[in-house]
Structures are given as structure tokens and as C-alpha cells.
mmCIF file with all atom_site columns, all heavy atoms in Angstrom:
data_model
loop_
_atom_site.group_PDB
_atom_site.id
_atom_site.type_symbol
_atom_site.label_atom_id
_atom_site.label_alt_id
_atom_site.label_comp_id
_atom_site.label_asym_id
_atom_site.label_entity_id
_atom_site.label_seq_id
_atom_site.pdbx_PDB_ins_code
_atom_site.Cartn_x
_atom_site.Cartn_y
_atom_site.Cartn_z
_atom_site.occupancy
_atom_site.B_iso_or_equiv
_atom_site.pdbx_formal_charge
_atom_site.auth_seq_id
_atom_site.auth_comp_id
_atom_site.auth_asym_id
_atom_site.auth_atom_id
_atom_site.pdbx_PDB_model_num
ATOM 1   N N   . PRO A 1 1  ? -4.114  -12.291 -12.680 1.00 48.00 ? 17 PRO A N   1
ATOM 2   C CA  . PRO A 1 1  ? -4.484  -12.816 -11.358 1.00 48.00 ? 17 PRO A CA  1
ATOM 3   C C   . PRO A 1 1  ? -4.728  -11.673 -10.393 1.00 48.00 ? 17 PRO A C   1
ATOM 4   O O   . PRO A 1 1  ? -4.289  -10.548 -10.605 1.00 48.00 ? 17 PRO A O   1
ATOM 5   C CB  . PRO A 1 1  ? -3.245  -13.630 -10.948 1.00 48.00 ? 17 PRO A CB  1
ATOM 6   C CG  . PRO A 1 1  ? -2.530  -13.912 -12.222 1.00 48.00 ? 17 PRO A CG  1
ATOM 7   C CD  . PRO A 1 1  ? -2.790  -12.740 -13.113 1.00 48.00 ? 17 PRO A CD  1
ATOM 8   N N   . TRP A 1 2  ? -5.431  -11.988 -9.294  1.00 48.00 ? 18 TRP A N   1
ATOM 9   C CA  . TRP A 1 2  ? -5.797  -10.978 -8.298  1.00 48.00 ? 18 TRP A CA  1
ATOM 10  C C   . TRP A 1 2  ? -4.558  -10.197 -7.852  1.00 48.00 ? 18 TRP A C   1
ATOM 11  O O   . TRP A 1 2  ? -3.596  -10.745 -7.338  1.00 48.00 ? 18 TRP A O   1
ATOM 12  C CB  . TRP A 1 2  ? -6.416  -11.672 -7.080  1.00 48.00 ? 18 TRP A CB  1
ATOM 13  C CG  . TRP A 1 2  ? -6.982  -10.706 -6.078  1.00 48.00 ? 18 TRP A CG  1
ATOM 14  C CD1 . TRP A 1 2  ? -6.301  -9.942  -5.207  1.00 48.00 ? 18 TRP A CD1 1
ATOM 15  C CD2 . TRP A 1 2  ? -8.365  -10.438 -5.865  1.00 48.00 ? 18 TRP A CD2 1
ATOM 16  N NE1 . TRP A 1 2  ? -7.147  -9.193  -4.455  1.00 48.00 ? 18 TRP A NE1 1
ATOM 17  C CE2 . TRP A 1 2  ? -8.427  -9.472  -4.829  1.00 48.00 ? 18 TRP A CE2 1
ATOM 18  C CE3 . TRP A 1 2  ? -9.541  -10.902 -6.428  1.00 48.00 ? 18 TRP A CE3 1
ATOM 19  C CZ2 . TRP A 1 2  ? -9.637  -8.981  -4.353  1.00 48.00 ? 18 TRP A CZ2 1
ATOM 20  C CZ3 . TRP A 1 2  ? -10.733 -10.403 -5.950  1.00 48.00 ? 18 TRP A CZ3 1
ATOM 21  C CH2 . TRP A 1 2  ? -10.788 -9.455  -4.931  1.00 48.00 ? 18 TRP A CH2 1
ATOM 22  N N   . GLY A 1 3  ? -4.589  -8.880  -8.091  1.00 61.00 ? 19 GLY A N   1
ATOM 23  C CA  . GLY A 1 3  ? -3.541  -7.999  -7.587  1.00 61.00 ? 19 GLY A CA  1
ATOM 24  C C   . GLY A 1 3  ? -2.317  -7.894  -8.452  1.00 61.00 ? 19 GLY A C   1
ATOM 25  O O   . GLY A 1 3  ? -1.533  -6.964  -8.283  1.00 61.00 ? 19 GLY A O   1
ATOM 26  N N   . GLU A 1 4  ? -2.114  -8.797  -9.390  1.00 69.00 ? 20 GLU A N   1
ATOM 27  C CA  . GLU A 1 4  ? -0.876  -8.786  -10.166 1.00 69.00 ? 20 GLU A CA  1
ATOM 28  C C   . GLU A 1 4  ? -0.841  -7.587  -11.107 1.00 69.00 ? 20 GLU A C   1
ATOM 29  O O   . GLU A 1 4  ? -1.774  -7.347  -11.863 1.00 69.00 ? 20 GLU A O   1
ATOM 30  C CB  . GLU A 1 4  ? -0.752  -10.067 -10.990 1.00 69.00 ? 20 GLU A CB  1
ATOM 31  C CG  . GLU A 1 4  ? 0.553   -10.137 -11.791 1.00 69.00 ? 20 GLU A CG  1
ATOM 32  C CD  . GLU A 1 4  ? 0.652   -11.435 -12.584 1.00 69.00 ? 20 GLU A CD  1
ATOM 33  O OE1 . GLU A 1 4  ? 0.466   -12.501 -11.966 1.00 69.00 ? 20 GLU A OE1 1
ATOM 34  O OE2 . GLU A 1 4  ? 0.889   -11.374 -13.795 1.00 69.00 ? 20 GLU A OE2 1
ATOM 35  N N   . GLY A 1 5  ? 0.225   -6.838  -11.046 1.00 85.00 ? 21 GLY A N   1
ATOM 36  C CA  . GLY A 1 5  ? 0.409   -5.725  -11.955 1.00 85.00 ? 21 GLY A CA  1
ATOM 37  C C   . GLY A 1 5  ? -0.376  -4.483  -11.611 1.00 85.00 ? 21 GLY A C   1
ATOM 38  O O   . GLY A 1 5  ? -0.354  -3.524  -12.377 1.00 85.00 ? 21 GLY A O   1
ATOM 39  N N   . LEU A 1 6  ? -1.075  -4.495  -10.490 1.00 95.00 ? 22 LEU A N   1
ATOM 40  C CA  . LEU A 1 6  ? -1.850  -3.316  -10.135 1.00 95.00 ? 22 LEU A CA  1
ATOM 41  C C   . LEU A 1 6  ? -0.919  -2.162  -9.774  1.00 95.00 ? 22 LEU A C   1
ATOM 42  O O   . LEU A 1 6  ? 0.010   -2.310  -8.980  1.00 95.00 ? 22 LEU A O   1
ATOM 43  C CB  . LEU A 1 6  ? -2.773  -3.608  -8.952  1.00 95.00 ? 22 LEU A CB  1
ATOM 44  C CG  . LEU A 1 6  ? -4.007  -4.462  -9.235  1.00 95.00 ? 22 LEU A CG  1
ATOM 45  C CD1 . LEU A 1 6  ? -4.757  -4.733  -7.936  1.00 95.00 ? 22 LEU A CD1 1
ATOM 46  C CD2 . LEU A 1 6  ? -4.919  -3.769  -10.230 1.00 95.00 ? 22 LEU A CD2 1
ATOM 47  N N   . ARG A 1 7  ? -1.198  -1.027  -10.317 1.00 95.00 ? 23 ARG A N   1
ATOM 48  C CA  . ARG A 1 7  ? -0.405  0.165   -10.041 1.00 95.00 ? 23 ARG A CA  1
ATOM 49  C C   . ARG A 1 7  ? -0.425  0.510   -8.558  1.00 95.00 ? 23 ARG A C   1
ATOM 50  O O   . ARG A 1 7  ? 0.594   0.939   -7.991  1.00 95.00 ? 23 ARG A O   1
ATOM 51  C CB  . ARG A 1 7  ? -0.960  1.317   -10.877 1.00 95.00 ? 23 ARG A CB  1
ATOM 52  C CG  . ARG A 1 7  ? -0.226  2.628   -10.783 1.00 95.00 ? 23 ARG A CG  1
ATOM 53  C CD  . ARG A 1 7  ? -0.824  3.620   -11.770 1.00 95.00 ? 23 ARG A CD  1
ATOM 54  N NE  . ARG A 1 7  ? -0.180  4.930   -11.682 1.00 95.00 ? 23 ARG A NE  1
ATOM 55  C CZ  . ARG A 1 7  ? -0.547  5.898   -10.862 1.00 95.00 ? 23 ARG A CZ  1
ATOM 56  N NH1 . ARG A 1 7  ? -1.575  5.711   -10.044 1.00 95.00 ? 23 ARG A NH1 1
ATOM 57  N NH2 . ARG A 1 7  ? 0.100   7.059   -10.853 1.00 95.00 ? 23 ARG A NH2 1
ATOM 58  N N   . SER A 1 8  ? -1.558  0.319   -7.907  1.00 95.00 ? 24 SER A N   1
ATOM 59  C CA  . SER A 1 8  ? -1.686  0.669   -6.492  1.00 95.00 ? 24 SER A CA  1
ATOM 60  C C   . SER A 1 8  ? -0.763  -0.158  -5.600  1.00 95.00 ? 24 SER A C   1
ATOM 61  O O   . SER A 1 8  ? -0.435  0.262   -4.480  1.00 95.00 ? 24 SER A O   1
ATOM 62  C CB  . SER A 1 8  ? -3.130  0.484   -6.030  1.00 95.00 ? 24 SER A CB  1
ATOM 63  O OG  . SER A 1 8  ? -3.572  -0.843  -6.229  1.00 95.00 ? 24 SER A OG  1
ATOM 64  N N   . GLN A 1 9  ? -0.339  -1.319  -6.076  1.00 93.00 ? 25 GLN A N   1
ATOM 65  C CA  . GLN A 1 9  ? 0.529   -2.155  -5.251  1.00 93.00 ? 25 GLN A CA  1
ATOM 66  C C   . GLN A 1 9  ? 1.936   -1.596  -5.105  1.00 93.00 ? 25 GLN A C   1
ATOM 67  O O   . GLN A 1 9  ? 2.694   -2.022  -4.226  1.00 93.00 ? 25 GLN A O   1
ATOM 68  C CB  . GLN A 1 9  ? 0.564   -3.576  -5.814  1.00 93.00 ? 25 GLN A CB  1
ATOM 69  C CG  . GLN A 1 9  ? -0.696  -4.379  -5.524  1.00 93.00 ? 25 GLN A CG  1
ATOM 70  C CD  . GLN A 1 9  ? -0.972  -4.488  -4.035  1.00 93.00 ? 25 GLN A CD  1
ATOM 71  O OE1 . GLN A 1 9  ? -0.216  -5.126  -3.310  1.00 93.00 ? 25 GLN A OE1 1
ATOM 72  N NE2 . GLN A 1 9  ? -2.052  -3.855  -3.578  1.00 93.00 ? 25 GLN A NE2 1
ATOM 73  N N   . VAL A 1 10 ? 2.299   -0.632  -5.986  1.00 91.00 ? 26 VAL A N   1
ATOM 74  C CA  . VAL A 1 10 ? 3.566   0.072   -5.783  1.00 91.00 ? 26 VAL A CA  1
ATOM 75  C C   . VAL A 1 10 ? 3.541   0.788   -4.435  1.00 91.00 ? 26 VAL A C   1
ATOM 76  O O   . VAL A 1 10 ? 4.564   0.917   -3.759  1.00 91.00 ? 26 VAL A O   1
ATOM 77  C CB  . VAL A 1 10 ? 3.823   1.069   -6.935  1.00 91.00 ? 26 VAL A CB  1
ATOM 78  C CG1 . VAL A 1 10 ? 5.087   1.885   -6.684  1.00 91.00 ? 26 VAL A CG1 1
ATOM 79  C CG2 . VAL A 1 10 ? 3.906   0.337   -8.257  1.00 91.00 ? 26 VAL A CG2 1
ATOM 80  N N   . TRP A 1 11 ? 2.372   1.253   -4.028  1.00 92.00 ? 27 TRP A N   1
ATOM 81  C CA  . TRP A 1 11 ? 2.193   1.898   -2.729  1.00 92.00 ? 27 TRP A CA  1
ATOM 82  C C   . TRP A 1 11 ? 1.929   0.864   -1.629  1.00 92.00 ? 27 TRP A C   1
ATOM 83  O O   . TRP A 1 11 ? 2.626   0.833   -0.622  1.00 92.00 ? 27 TRP A O   1
ATOM 84  C CB  . TRP A 1 11 ? 1.015   2.860   -2.769  1.00 92.00 ? 27 TRP A CB  1
ATOM 85  C CG  . TRP A 1 11 ? 1.241   4.188   -3.391  1.00 92.00 ? 27 TRP A CG  1
ATOM 86  C CD1 . TRP A 1 11 ? 1.500   5.364   -2.742  1.00 92.00 ? 27 TRP A CD1 1
ATOM 87  C CD2 . TRP A 1 11 ? 1.185   4.516   -4.784  1.00 92.00 ? 27 TRP A CD2 1
ATOM 88  N NE1 . TRP A 1 11 ? 1.613   6.397   -3.639  1.00 92.00 ? 27 TRP A NE1 1
ATOM 89  C CE2 . TRP A 1 11 ? 1.421   5.907   -4.895  1.00 92.00 ? 27 TRP A CE2 1
ATOM 90  C CE3 . TRP A 1 11 ? 0.957   3.774   -5.943  1.00 92.00 ? 27 TRP A CE3 1
ATOM 91  C CZ2 . TRP A 1 11 ? 1.438   6.567   -6.130  1.00 92.00 ? 27 TRP A CZ2 1
ATOM 92  C CZ3 . TRP A 1 11 ? 0.974   4.414   -7.169  1.00 92.00 ? 27 TRP A CZ3 1
ATOM 93  C CH2 . TRP A 1 11 ? 1.216   5.793   -7.254  1.00 92.00 ? 27 TRP A CH2 1
ATOM 94  N N   . PHE A 1 12 ? 0.918   0.030   -1.831  1.00 92.00 ? 28 PHE A N   1
ATOM 95  C CA  . PHE A 1 12 ? 0.412   -0.803  -0.749  1.00 92.00 ? 28 PHE A CA  1
ATOM 96  C C   . PHE A 1 12 ? 1.095   -2.163  -0.637  1.00 92.00 ? 28 PHE A C   1
ATOM 97  O O   . PHE A 1 12 ? 0.975   -2.829  0.396   1.00 92.00 ? 28 PHE A O   1
ATOM 98  C CB  . PHE A 1 12 ? -1.095  -0.999  -0.905  1.00 92.00 ? 28 PHE A CB  1
ATOM 99  C CG  . PHE A 1 12 ? -1.878  0.275   -0.850  1.00 92.00 ? 28 PHE A CG  1
ATOM 100 C CD1 . PHE A 1 12 ? -2.891  0.533   -1.762  1.00 92.00 ? 28 PHE A CD1 1
ATOM 101 C CD2 . PHE A 1 12 ? -1.603  1.226   0.114   1.00 92.00 ? 28 PHE A CD2 1
ATOM 102 C CE1 . PHE A 1 12 ? -3.616  1.717   -1.719  1.00 92.00 ? 28 PHE A CE1 1
ATOM 103 C CE2 . PHE A 1 12 ? -2.328  2.413   0.170   1.00 92.00 ? 28 PHE A CE2 1
ATOM 104 C CZ  . PHE A 1 12 ? -3.328  2.663   -0.748  1.00 92.00 ? 28 PHE A CZ  1
ATOM 105 N N   . GLY A 1 13 ? 1.785   -2.580  -1.663  1.00 91.00 ? 29 GLY A N   1
ATOM 106 C CA  . GLY A 1 13 ? 2.409   -3.906  -1.639  1.00 91.00 ? 29 GLY A CA  1
ATOM 107 C C   . GLY A 1 13 ? 3.826   -3.909  -1.124  1.00 91.00 ? 29 GLY A C   1
ATOM 108 O O   . GLY A 1 13 ? 4.441   -4.974  -1.001  1.00 91.00 ? 29 GLY A O   1
ATOM 109 N N   . ASP A 1 14 ? 4.368   -2.760  -0.836  1.00 88.00 ? 30 ASP A N   1
ATOM 110 C CA  . ASP A 1 14 ? 5.747   -2.664  -0.356  1.00 88.00 ? 30 ASP A CA  1
ATOM 111 C C   . ASP A 1 14 ? 5.829   -3.177  1.081   1.00 88.00 ? 30 ASP A C   1
ATOM 112 O O   . ASP A 1 14 ? 5.108   -2.706  1.963   1.00 88.00 ? 30 ASP A O   1
ATOM 113 C CB  . ASP A 1 14 ? 6.208   -1.204  -0.417  1.00 88.00 ? 30 ASP A CB  1
ATOM 114 C CG  . ASP A 1 14 ? 7.691   -1.042  -0.142  1.00 88.00 ? 30 ASP A CG  1
ATOM 115 O OD1 . ASP A 1 14 ? 8.124   -1.400  0.971   1.00 88.00 ? 30 ASP A OD1 1
ATOM 116 O OD2 . ASP A 1 14 ? 8.400   -0.543  -1.034  1.00 88.00 ? 30 ASP A OD2 1
ATOM 117 N N   . PRO A 1 15 ? 6.702   -4.164  1.354   1.00 89.00 ? 31 PRO A N   1
ATOM 118 C CA  . PRO A 1 15 ? 6.765   -4.731  2.712   1.00 89.00 ? 31 PRO A CA  1
ATOM 119 C C   . PRO A 1 15 ? 7.554   -3.878  3.689   1.00 89.00 ? 31 PRO A C   1
ATOM 120 O O   . PRO A 1 15 ? 7.537   -4.143  4.894   1.00 89.00 ? 31 PRO A O   1
ATOM 121 C CB  . PRO A 1 15 ? 7.469   -6.074  2.483   1.00 89.00 ? 31 PRO A CB  1
ATOM 122 C CG  . PRO A 1 15 ? 8.345   -5.832  1.294   1.00 89.00 ? 31 PRO A CG  1
ATOM 123 C CD  . PRO A 1 15 ? 7.592   -4.877  0.417   1.00 89.00 ? 31 PRO A CD  1
ATOM 124 N N   . GLY A 1 16 ? 8.224   -2.848  3.193   1.00 90.00 ? 32 GLY A N   1
ATOM 125 C CA  . GLY A 1 16 ? 9.096   -2.061  4.053   1.00 90.00 ? 32 GLY A CA  1
ATOM 126 C C   . GLY A 1 16 ? 8.435   -0.832  4.634   1.00 90.00 ? 32 GLY A C   1
ATOM 127 O O   . GLY A 1 16 ? 7.214   -0.746  4.774   1.00 90.00 ? 32 GLY A O   1
ATOM 128 N N   . LYS A 1 17 ? 9.294   0.182   4.899   1.00 90.00 ? 33 LYS A N   1
ATOM 129 C CA  . LYS A 1 17 ? 8.845   1.384   5.587   1.00 90.00 ? 33 LYS A CA  1
ATOM 130 C C   . LYS A 1 17 ? 7.781   2.144   4.803   1.00 90.00 ? 33 LYS A C   1
ATOM 131 O O   . LYS A 1 17 ? 6.788   2.620   5.380   1.00 90.00 ? 33 LYS A O   1
ATOM 132 C CB  . LYS A 1 17 ? 10.045  2.291   5.831   1.00 90.00 ? 33 LYS A CB  1
ATOM 133 C CG  . LYS A 1 17 ? 9.699   3.623   6.472   1.00 90.00 ? 33 LYS A CG  1
ATOM 134 C CD  . LYS A 1 17 ? 10.940  4.463   6.739   1.00 90.00 ? 33 LYS A CD  1
ATOM 135 C CE  . LYS A 1 17 ? 11.619  4.850   5.425   1.00 90.00 ? 33 LYS A CE  1
ATOM 136 N NZ  . LYS A 1 17 ? 12.785  5.748   5.659   1.00 90.00 ? 33 LYS A NZ  1
ATOM 137 N N   . THR A 1 18 ? 7.974   2.272   3.487   1.00 88.00 ? 34 THR A N   1
ATOM 138 C CA  . THR A 1 18 ? 7.022   3.078   2.718   1.00 88.00 ? 34 THR A CA  1
ATOM 139 C C   . THR A 1 18 ? 5.652   2.421   2.678   1.00 88.00 ? 34 THR A C   1
ATOM 140 O O   . THR A 1 18 ? 4.629   3.096   2.815   1.00 88.00 ? 34 THR A O   1
ATOM 141 C CB  . THR A 1 18 ? 7.536   3.303   1.288   1.00 88.00 ? 34 THR A CB  1
ATOM 142 O OG1 . THR A 1 18 ? 7.779   2.041   0.661   1.00 88.00 ? 34 THR A OG1 1
ATOM 143 C CG2 . THR A 1 18 ? 8.809   4.131   1.284   1.00 88.00 ? 34 THR A CG2 1
ATOM 144 N N   . GLY A 1 19 ? 5.620   1.090   2.495   1.00 89.00 ? 35 GLY A N   1
ATOM 145 C CA  . GLY A 1 19 ? 4.334   0.401   2.512   1.00 89.00 ? 35 GLY A CA  1
ATOM 146 C C   . GLY A 1 19 ? 3.653   0.525   3.865   1.00 89.00 ? 35 GLY A C   1
ATOM 147 O O   . GLY A 1 19 ? 2.426   0.727   3.953   1.00 89.00 ? 35 GLY A O   1
ATOM 148 N N   . PHE A 1 20 ? 4.457   0.433   4.929   1.00 91.00 ? 36 PHE A N   1
ATOM 149 C CA  . PHE A 1 20 ? 3.923   0.601   6.281   1.00 91.00 ? 36 PHE A CA  1
ATOM 150 C C   . PHE A 1 20 ? 3.215   1.949   6.405   1.00 91.00 ? 36 PHE A C   1
ATOM 151 O O   . PHE A 1 20 ? 2.093   2.046   6.932   1.00 91.00 ? 36 PHE A O   1
ATOM 152 C CB  . PHE A 1 20 ? 5.091   0.504   7.266   1.00 91.00 ? 36 PHE A CB  1
ATOM 153 C CG  . PHE A 1 20 ? 4.708   0.693   8.702   1.00 91.00 ? 36 PHE A CG  1
ATOM 154 C CD1 . PHE A 1 20 ? 4.570   -0.394  9.555   1.00 91.00 ? 36 PHE A CD1 1
ATOM 155 C CD2 . PHE A 1 20 ? 4.495   1.980   9.232   1.00 91.00 ? 36 PHE A CD2 1
ATOM 156 C CE1 . PHE A 1 20 ? 4.220   -0.225  10.880  1.00 91.00 ? 36 PHE A CE1 1
ATOM 157 C CE2 . PHE A 1 20 ? 4.145   2.155   10.558  1.00 91.00 ? 36 PHE A CE2 1
ATOM 158 C CZ  . PHE A 1 20 ? 4.012   1.058   11.381  1.00 91.00 ? 36 PHE A CZ  1
ATOM 159 N N   . MET A 1 21 ? 3.866   3.002   5.923   1.00 91.00 ? 37 MET A N   1
ATOM 160 C CA  . MET A 1 21 ? 3.292   4.337   6.050   1.00 91.00 ? 37 MET A CA  1
ATOM 161 C C   . MET A 1 21 ? 2.014   4.479   5.230   1.00 91.00 ? 37 MET A C   1
ATOM 162 O O   . MET A 1 21 ? 1.007   5.004   5.712   1.00 91.00 ? 37 MET A O   1
ATOM 163 C CB  . MET A 1 21 ? 4.321   5.383   5.615   1.00 91.00 ? 37 MET A CB  1
ATOM 164 C CG  . MET A 1 21 ? 5.534   5.470   6.519   1.00 91.00 ? 37 MET A CG  1
ATOM 165 S SD  . MET A 1 21 ? 6.662   6.788   6.030   1.00 91.00 ? 37 MET A SD  1
ATOM 166 C CE  . MET A 1 21 ? 5.689   8.230   6.383   1.00 91.00 ? 37 MET A CE  1
ATOM 167 N N   . HIS A 1 22 ? 2.039   4.023   3.979   1.00 90.00 ? 38 HIS A N   1
ATOM 168 C CA  . HIS A 1 22 ? 0.860   4.154   3.127   1.00 90.00 ? 38 HIS A CA  1
ATOM 169 C C   . HIS A 1 22 ? -0.336  3.434   3.731   1.00 90.00 ? 38 HIS A C   1
ATOM 170 O O   . HIS A 1 22 ? -1.452  3.968   3.767   1.00 90.00 ? 38 HIS A O   1
ATOM 171 C CB  . HIS A 1 22 ? 1.148   3.583   1.729   1.00 90.00 ? 38 HIS A CB  1
ATOM 172 C CG  . HIS A 1 22 ? 2.209   4.319   0.977   1.00 90.00 ? 38 HIS A CG  1
ATOM 173 N ND1 . HIS A 1 22 ? 2.302   5.678   0.950   1.00 90.00 ? 38 HIS A ND1 1
ATOM 174 C CD2 . HIS A 1 22 ? 3.222   3.860   0.189   1.00 90.00 ? 38 HIS A CD2 1
ATOM 175 C CE1 . HIS A 1 22 ? 3.320   6.049   0.198   1.00 90.00 ? 38 HIS A CE1 1
ATOM 176 N NE2 . HIS A 1 22 ? 3.903   4.951   -0.274  1.00 90.00 ? 38 HIS A NE2 1
ATOM 177 N N   . ARG A 1 23 ? -0.112  2.206   4.211   1.00 91.00 ? 39 ARG A N   1
ATOM 178 C CA  . ARG A 1 23 ? -1.227  1.421   4.745   1.00 91.00 ? 39 ARG A CA  1
ATOM 179 C C   . ARG A 1 23 ? -1.695  1.968   6.094   1.00 91.00 ? 39 ARG A C   1
ATOM 180 O O   . ARG A 1 23 ? -2.890  2.074   6.368   1.00 91.00 ? 39 ARG A O   1
ATOM 181 C CB  . ARG A 1 23 ? -0.810  -0.042  4.873   1.00 91.00 ? 39 ARG A CB  1
ATOM 182 C CG  . ARG A 1 23 ? -0.519  -0.742  3.549   1.00 91.00 ? 39 ARG A CG  1
ATOM 183 C CD  . ARG A 1 23 ? -0.250  -2.232  3.750   1.00 91.00 ? 39 ARG A CD  1
ATOM 184 N NE  . ARG A 1 23 ? 0.918   -2.477  4.595   1.00 91.00 ? 39 ARG A NE  1
ATOM 185 C CZ  . ARG A 1 23 ? 2.166   -2.645  4.143   1.00 91.00 ? 39 ARG A CZ  1
ATOM 186 N NH1 . ARG A 1 23 ? 2.417   -2.555  2.837   1.00 91.00 ? 39 ARG A NH1 1
ATOM 187 N NH2 . ARG A 1 23 ? 3.165   -2.884  4.971   1.00 91.00 ? 39 ARG A NH2 1
ATOM 188 N N   . SER A 1 24 ? -0.740  2.343   6.926   1.00 91.00 ? 40 SER A N   1
ATOM 189 C CA  . SER A 1 24 ? -1.067  2.742   8.290   1.00 91.00 ? 40 SER A CA  1
ATOM 190 C C   . SER A 1 24 ? -1.954  3.976   8.319   1.00 91.00 ? 40 SER A C   1
ATOM 191 O O   . SER A 1 24 ? -2.978  4.000   9.034   1.00 91.00 ? 40 SER A O   1
ATOM 192 C CB  . SER A 1 24 ? 0.226   3.001   9.071   1.00 91.00 ? 40 SER A CB  1
ATOM 193 O OG  . SER A 1 24 ? -0.076  3.426   10.384  1.00 91.00 ? 40 SER A OG  1
ATOM 194 N N   . TRP A 1 25 ? -1.599  4.985   7.570   1.00 92.00 ? 41 TRP A N   1
ATOM 195 C CA  . TRP A 1 25 ? -2.387  6.213   7.634   1.00 92.00 ? 41 TRP A CA  1
ATOM 196 C C   . TRP A 1 25 ? -3.796  6.012   7.088   1.00 92.00 ? 41 TRP A C   1
ATOM 197 O O   . TRP A 1 25 ? -4.740  6.611   7.574   1.00 92.00 ? 41 TRP A O   1
ATOM 198 C CB  . TRP A 1 25 ? -1.669  7.329   6.867   1.00 92.00 ? 41 TRP A CB  1
ATOM 199 C CG  . TRP A 1 25 ? -0.925  8.256   7.792   1.00 92.00 ? 41 TRP A CG  1
ATOM 200 C CD1 . TRP A 1 25 ? -1.386  9.421   8.317   1.00 92.00 ? 41 TRP A CD1 1
ATOM 201 C CD2 . TRP A 1 25 ? 0.383   8.068   8.327   1.00 92.00 ? 41 TRP A CD2 1
ATOM 202 N NE1 . TRP A 1 25 ? -0.430  9.995   9.137   1.00 92.00 ? 41 TRP A NE1 1
ATOM 203 C CE2 . TRP A 1 25 ? 0.674   9.181   9.158   1.00 92.00 ? 41 TRP A CE2 1
ATOM 204 C CE3 . TRP A 1 25 ? 1.362   7.065   8.188   1.00 92.00 ? 41 TRP A CE3 1
ATOM 205 C CZ2 . TRP A 1 25 ? 1.878   9.324   9.840   1.00 92.00 ? 41 TRP A CZ2 1
ATOM 206 C CZ3 . TRP A 1 25 ? 2.559   7.204   8.859   1.00 92.00 ? 41 TRP A CZ3 1
ATOM 207 C CH2 . TRP A 1 25 ? 2.806   8.322   9.675   1.00 92.00 ? 41 TRP A CH2 1
ATOM 208 N N   . LEU A 1 26 ? -3.956  5.144   6.095   1.00 91.00 ? 42 LEU A N   1
ATOM 209 C CA  . LEU A 1 26 ? -5.301  4.912   5.559   1.00 91.00 ? 42 LEU A CA  1
ATOM 210 C C   . LEU A 1 26 ? -6.161  4.096   6.512   1.00 91.00 ? 42 LEU A C   1
ATOM 211 O O   . LEU A 1 26 ? -7.390  4.119   6.409   1.00 91.00 ? 42 LEU A O   1
ATOM 212 C CB  . LEU A 1 26 ? -5.217  4.217   4.197   1.00 91.00 ? 42 LEU A CB  1
ATOM 213 C CG  . LEU A 1 26 ? -4.944  5.148   3.010   1.00 91.00 ? 42 LEU A CG  1
ATOM 214 C CD1 . LEU A 1 26 ? -4.878  4.365   1.709   1.00 91.00 ? 42 LEU A CD1 1
ATOM 215 C CD2 . LEU A 1 26 ? -6.020  6.225   2.889   1.00 91.00 ? 42 LEU A CD2 1
ATOM 216 N N   . ARG A 1 27 ? -5.544  3.382   7.445   1.00 90.00 ? 43 ARG A N   1
ATOM 217 C CA  . ARG A 1 27 ? -6.346  2.640   8.419   1.00 90.00 ? 43 ARG A CA  1
ATOM 218 C C   . ARG A 1 27 ? -7.168  3.602   9.291   1.00 90.00 ? 43 ARG A C   1
ATOM 219 O O   . ARG A 1 27 ? -8.173  3.204   9.891   1.00 90.00 ? 43 ARG A O   1
ATOM 220 C CB  . ARG A 1 27 ? -5.448  1.767   9.293   1.00 90.00 ? 43 ARG A CB  1
ATOM 221 C CG  . ARG A 1 27 ? -4.859  0.579   8.548   1.00 90.00 ? 43 ARG A CG  1
ATOM 222 C CD  . ARG A 1 27 ? -3.949  -0.233  9.455   1.00 90.00 ? 43 ARG A CD  1
ATOM 223 N NE  . ARG A 1 27 ? -3.228  -1.242  8.699   1.00 90.00 ? 43 ARG A NE  1
ATOM 224 C CZ  . ARG A 1 27 ? -3.679  -2.464  8.444   1.00 90.00 ? 43 ARG A CZ  1
ATOM 225 N NH1 . ARG A 1 27 ? -4.877  -2.816  8.895   1.00 90.00 ? 43 ARG A NH1 1
ATOM 226 N NH2 . ARG A 1 27 ? -2.964  -3.327  7.772   1.00 90.00 ? 43 ARG A NH2 1
ATOM 227 N N   . SER A 1 28 ? -6.761  4.865   9.351   1.00 93.00 ? 44 SER A N   1
ATOM 228 C CA  . SER A 1 28 ? -7.533  5.834   10.129  1.00 93.00 ? 44 SER A CA  1
ATOM 229 C C   . SER A 1 28 ? -8.911  6.068   9.527   1.00 93.00 ? 44 SER A C   1
ATOM 230 O O   . SER A 1 28 ? -9.804  6.600   10.190  1.00 93.00 ? 44 SER A O   1
ATOM 231 C CB  . SER A 1 28 ? -6.776  7.165   10.207  1.00 93.00 ? 44 SER A CB  1
ATOM 232 O OG  . SER A 1 28 ? -6.732  7.795   8.933   1.00 93.00 ? 44 SER A OG  1
ATOM 233 N N   . GLU A 1 29 ? -9.111  5.657   8.265   1.00 93.00 ? 45 GLU A N   1
ATOM 234 C CA  . GLU A 1 29 ? -10.416 5.784   7.621   1.00 93.00 ? 45 GLU A CA  1
ATOM 235 C C   . GLU A 1 29 ? -11.304 4.577   7.867   1.00 93.00 ? 45 GLU A C   1
ATOM 236 O O   . GLU A 1 29 ? -12.402 4.486   7.329   1.00 93.00 ? 45 GLU A O   1
ATOM 237 C CB  . GLU A 1 29 ? -10.232 6.006   6.115   1.00 93.00 ? 45 GLU A CB  1
ATOM 238 C CG  . GLU A 1 29 ? -9.473  7.292   5.786   1.00 93.00 ? 45 GLU A CG  1
ATOM 239 C CD  . GLU A 1 29 ? -9.382  7.566   4.298   1.00 93.00 ? 45 GLU A CD  1
ATOM 240 O OE1 . GLU A 1 29 ? -10.161 6.951   3.530   1.00 93.00 ? 45 GLU A OE1 1
ATOM 241 O OE2 . GLU A 1 29 ? -8.552  8.401   3.909   1.00 93.00 ? 45 GLU A OE2 1
#
């Protein structure tokens, strides 16, 4: 299914502080 098991979700799927940081900095692009 969409997104299930994707390696990248270890970075972007985290609801806490680390996910916030990974997503936030890439929004600058």
C-alpha cells in the first residue's frame, strides 16, 4: 500500500521531534 514499508518514512513519518526537523528543513526547497 501507499507508503507502507518505505525506508524514507523512518525519516519523514516520525511524528515527533526528529520527523519535525527532517520535514521542516526540506520545506525550504
